[in-house]
């Protein structure tokens, strides 16, 4: 997965039609967070806050998303932090 830079956030915001409020707050750069994408086309996204709330958008069955989620979970456990996962589903 690639880490998405803030200049791509407006593009991503157009793709996501329904998401928890924290996702839009990250994309609007109101709260601190990180956005990862599977490719430059932003078909699969992992968005997470510094406080440990995560959101998966798109095809959540890709291996790359699994790897990145595992990394995030391991880091949360090591630091004794929260890990909450939301996912987009039609």
């Amino acid at each position: 997965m690639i880490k998405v830079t803030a200049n791509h956030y407006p593009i991503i915001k157009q793709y996501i039609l329904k998401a928890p409020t924290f996702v839009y707050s990250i994309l609007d750069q109101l709260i601190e967070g990180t956005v990862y994408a599977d490719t430059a086309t932003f078909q699969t996204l992992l968005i997470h806050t510094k406080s440990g709330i995560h959101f998966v958008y798109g095809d959540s069955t890709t291996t790359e998303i699994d790897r990145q989620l595992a990394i995030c979970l391991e880091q949360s456990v090591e630091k004794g932090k929260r890990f909450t996962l939301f996912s987009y589903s039609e």
Side-chain angles (χ1 to χ4, degrees):
M1 303 216 49
I2 56 174
K3 188 173 179 180
V4 179
T5 58
N7 59 328
H8 290 101
Y9 289 0
I11 297 167
I12 291 171
K13 194 172 173 185
Q14 292 176 357
Y15 288 121
I16 300 176
L17 303 176
K18 201 174 196 181
T21 304
F22 76 89
V23 171
Y24 299 110
S25 296
I26 291 171
L27 296 175
D28 289 336
Q29 299 182 47
L30 298 173
I31 63 171
E32 190 175 342
T34 307
V35 179
Y36 295 98
D38 59 341
T39 64
T41 59
F42 310 123
Q43 292 185 356
T44 302
L45 300 167
L46 171 61
I47 301 169
H48 69 90
T49 66
K50 188 176 179 180
S51 65
I53 306 172
H54 301 74
F55 177 70
V56 175
Y57 180 85
D59 183 8
S60 61
T61 62
T62 63
T63 329
E64 289 300 314
I65 197 85
D66 291 342
R67 287 186 189 128
Q68 191 61 47
L69 276 171
I71 290 168
C72 291
L73 176 60
E74 287 174 14
Q75 290 173 347
S76 295
V77 170
E78 287 173 3
K79 295 177 181 177
K81 287 185 142 188
R82 169 185 184 170
F83 183 89
T84 305
L85 178 63
F86 295 88
S87 70
Y88 170 80
S89 175
E90 294 181 4

